[in-house]
């Protein structure tokens, strides 16, 4: 079974997650002798069809610059997933937000509070002051063959607009995009593949050609009956 870690508390923060890139792999960790793992990052509470959902995680640094490993996809469902491969073990802060207007940044109000839904890992941000730091968000990614699943939920500063959690949404129904190998990232600007349900390629149904049905030979046409020939009677002798 995969290791599942989730946050369930109200998330409010001034540190936020401004400026997550579309697909920025700013730096790469050194490879240790430990075995890297896959990380499935699930983000919930999305308002479908509104903008783009951006996620990122990092092992150090200010949260506003947390985009060591990042990705995005259109807000197509209430829950979306991002599968990162070959992630070195360590402690990471996971962040995300829904870019409603597709401006490329998590916009703030006059008080510096996020104007768009945002998400922080480990239940961080339950207190507004002081704002959470990296360690408040940090969660362990362990080495080994098992995939680590991290769940974060979008929140808003206004408590009455709190988003719903993942609940019992089966992973098979979640569109998951394969971000790829974080130790060997693709060139910047390379588009991600289309998301697939549950992160697994759809089962291909082989098309079995129907055998051609042999047509029965046409029955030979019956020979037309000869038309009767009219026989003229011989003239009577005079």
């Amino acid at each position: 079974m995969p290791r599942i870690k989730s946050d369930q508390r109200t998330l409010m923060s001034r540190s936020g997650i401004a400026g997550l890139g579309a697909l920025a792999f700013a730096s790469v960790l050194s490879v240790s002798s430990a075995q890297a793992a896959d990380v499935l990052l699930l983000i919930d509470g999305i308002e479908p069809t509104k903008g783009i959902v951006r996620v990122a995680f990092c092992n150090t640094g200010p949260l506003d610059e947390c985009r060591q490993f990042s990705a995005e996809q259109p807000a197509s469902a209430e829950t979306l997933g991002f599968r990162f491969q070959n992630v070195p073990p360590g402690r990471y802060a996971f962040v995300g937000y829904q870019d409603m207007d597709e401006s490329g940044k998590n916009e703030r109000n006059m008080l510096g509070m996020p104007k768009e839904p945002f998400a922080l890992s480990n239940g961080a941000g339950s207190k507004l002051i002081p704002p959470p730091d990296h360690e408040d968000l940090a969660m362990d990614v362990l080495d080994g063959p098992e995939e680590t699943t991290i769940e974060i939920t979008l929140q808003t500063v206004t408590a009455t607009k709190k988003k719903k959690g993942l609940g019992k949404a089966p992973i098979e129904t979640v569109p998951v995009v394969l971000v790829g190998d974080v130790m060997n990232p693709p060139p910047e600007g390379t588009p991600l593949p289309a998301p697939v349900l549950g992160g697994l390629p759809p089962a291909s149904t082989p098309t079995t050609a129907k055998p051609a049905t042999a047509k029965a030979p046409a029955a030979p046409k019956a020979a037309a009956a000869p038309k009767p020939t009219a026989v003229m009677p011989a003239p009577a002798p005079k």
Side-chain angles (χ1 to χ4, degrees):
M1 295 292 293
R3 296 180 289 270
I4 299 180
K5 305 174 183 180
S6 63
D7 75 295
Q8 299 176 345
R9 292 179 287 177
T10 303
L11 309 180
M12 292 184 287
S13 167
R14 295 184 63 181
S15 294
I17 47 178
L20 299 185
L23 182 60
F25 292 90
S27 63
V28 178
L29 298 176
S30 61
V31 181
S32 67
S33 59
Q35 181 179 357
D38 289 355
V39 172
L40 175 60
L41 177 57
L42 299 175
I43 181 167
D44 179 48
I46 300 165
E47 295 187 36
T49 72
K50 292 186 178 181
I52 297 173
V53 175
R54 308 182 194 275
V55 298
F57 61 100
C58 56
N59 69 336
T60 187
L63 295 182
D64 283 343
E65 300 176 9
C66 185
R67 47 185 177 270
Q68 184 176 13
F69 306 121
S70 60
E72 67 175 22
Q73 62 170 305
S76 60
E78 293 184 359
T79 304
L80 295 176
F82 300 82
R83 177 167 278 113
F84 295 83
Q85 296 177 305
N86 199 22
V87 179
R91 288 180 60 78
Y92 296 91
F94 295 84
V95 295
Y97 76 100
Q98 184 168 357
D99 188 0
M100 297 283 198
D101 57 4
E102 302 185 29
S103 64
K105 59 182 180 179
N106 191 4
E107 300 176 0
R108 311 296 184 89
N109 60 20
M110 296 180 62
L111 300 176
M113 304 301 296
K115 296 170 64 176
E116 297 174 304
F118 63 97
L120 305 175
S121 59
N122 202 30
S126 58
K127 294 181 180 180
L128 183 61
I129 299 175
D133 57 20
H134 183 279
E135 188 57 30
D136 293 326
L137 276 66
M139 303 183 73
D140 291 322
V141 172
L142 305 178
D143 63 314
E146 292 184 350
E147 180 176 80
T148 297
T149 300
I150 305 292
E151 299 175 2
I152 58 177
T153 300
L154 286 170
Q155 305 285 326
T156 59
V157 175
T158 307
T160 55
K161 295 182 179 180
K162 181 179 178 180
K163 307 299 177 182
K164 295 182 180 180
L166 279 170
K168 298 181 180 179
I171 185 61
E172 292 79 9
T173 66
V174 177
V176 178
V177 68
L178 178 63
V179 179
D181 188 341
V182 301
M183 299 303 297
N184 298 285
E188 187 174 352
T190 302
L192 293 178
V196 296
L197 294 181
L200 299 175
S204 57
T205 304
T207 54
T208 304
K210 294 182 179 180
T213 304
K215 295 183 178 180
K221 294 183 178 179
K227 294 182 178 180
T229 304
V231 178
M232 298 297 293
K238 292 182 180 180

